[in-house]
Amino acid sequence: MSERAEKTQAMLAKHHRDGQRFAEMMKQGFADRFNDEFWSEWDRWIKPIYSDEPVVLDLGAGPGMFVRALAERSPAMRAIGVECAPYMLDAAVSLPPGCEIISEDLHDPKLPLPDNSVDAAMASVVLHEMSQPLRALQEMRRCLKPGGRLYILDWVRAPLEVYIRAQTEEAKVFDQETPVEELEDLFIHFIEHNRFSREDLIYLLNQCGFAVLHSKIMRDGRYANIVAEKRG
């Protein structure tokens, strides 16, 4: 394992706190996150550009729930997850033939896929966890077919007041009896969840060779949905 990958794994372990518990939470909360409203949007923006035998990537795939759901909805699909956290890989669900999870660090990914071979990619709550997402976006541009699309769902920058009130009890934050460790954990996660604004992500996508087709802010300004298409 490279030194870069070791740093990424250490950063993710700190961010997720209890990795095994977080992987189980991803499984248990999957249906709520990827509900009928989500699939309606996916069918609107992504499904129309599927080829007869589509290839779709899931960046930061966790235990592979979205990979499996993609394959179940489109049996001809080759769905591929990309993940590097050991506790996520250990918790991976069973996948149908032709689908897999690749262990790769998204800070500098070298995916075993030909140029212009992927129909679409998903990045769900992964970019905010990265110290820099440029290499991942550039690798997506390499792998995606011309006109291929990247679907992003992620936390974006919001005022501290909005973040605190959504995450915890405001009074507890300002209570002088609240342990310093709890305050540090809250503010570290605030910084991570507020790493990029929607405008930052659009700028990065444009600079990496994508055209943004759609973007909207949700959850009181704390969350963004962006659809981008590979140019050229």
Side-chain angles (χ1 to χ4, degrees):
M1 182 189 302
S2 69
E3 183 179 351
R4 172 66 264 174
E6 289 180 354
K7 289 181 178 179
T8 297
Q9 290 189 4
M11 178 270 292
L12 289 173
K14 184 176 181 180
H15 180 71
H16 293 151
R17 302 182 178 104
D18 183 337
Q20 291 180 335
R21 180 174 177 272
F22 191 79
E24 289 305 312
M25 287 174 57
M26 289 188 69
K27 291 180 179 179
Q28 293 169 12
F30 178 80
D32 289 333
R33 297 193 312 276
F34 296 92
N35 54 22
D36 290 343
E37 182 180 358
F38 164 80
W39 287 112
S40 177
E41 288 292 293
W42 182 266
D43 290 348
R44 176 187 177 191
W45 291 105
I46 305 300
K47 193 172 181 179
I49 56 96
Y50 281 1
S51 60
D52 291 340
E53 296 181 346
V55 178
V56 177
L57 293 176
D58 181 21
L59 308 183
M65 298 291 289
F66 187 66
V67 174
R68 186 170 68 181
L70 285 171
E72 289 173 348
R73 295 174 70 90
S74 300
M77 175 181 294
R78 181 186 179 200
I80 303 169
V82 183
E83 180 59 63
C84 73
Y87 47 86
M88 294 296 184
L89 297 171
D90 289 344
V93 298
S94 59
L95 299 174
C99 299
E100 62 181 314
I101 297 179
I102 297 171
S103 179
E104 188 74 19
D105 180 6
L106 287 172
H107 283 108
D108 190 20
K110 303 290 191 298
L111 301 180
L113 298 168
D115 295 354
N116 306 309
S117 63
V118 173
D119 293 82
M122 161 64 94
S124 174
V125 290
V126 64
L127 299 182
H128 81 276
E129 295 183 340
M130 303 178 68
S131 57
Q132 58 79 23
L134 291 182
R135 292 295 179 261
L137 295 178
Q138 290 163 346
E139 183 71 345
M140 288 308 95
R141 192 183 189 285
R142 180 190 73 79
C143 293
L144 285 168
K145 300 173 182 177
R149 293 182 180 177
L150 173 60
Y151 193 100
I152 296 173
L153 290 168
D154 216 329
W155 300 110
V156 290
R157 195 172 302 142
L160 178 61
E161 178 182 0
V162 173
Y163 181 84
I164 286 177
R165 289 179 173 173
Q167 292 294 116
T168 188
E169 295 180 36
E170 186 178 40
K172 186 177 180 182
V173 174
F174 294 96
D175 186 339
Q176 292 188 359
E177 299 302 316
T178 298
V180 170
E181 292 77 12
E182 288 187 27
L183 297 177
E184 289 177 343
D185 185 73
L186 173 70
F187 277 83
I188 287 171
H189 279 78
F190 168 71
I191 293 169
E192 291 169 341
H193 287 151
N194 283 262
R195 194 182 302 274
F196 303 113
S197 67
R198 173 177 57 168
E199 291 73 21
D200 292 338
L201 294 176
I202 290 173
Y203 167 72
L204 293 174
L205 288 162
N206 288 336
Q207 292 297 314
C208 290
F210 291 89
V212 173
L213 304 180
H214 166 77
S215 73
K216 68 177 180 180
I217 289 291
M218 301 176 287
R219 302 185 190 180
D220 299 321
R222 297 178 297 124
Y223 205 70
N225 171 210
I226 301 174
V227 181
E229 184 173 271
K230 176 179 173 177
R231 294 197 301 257

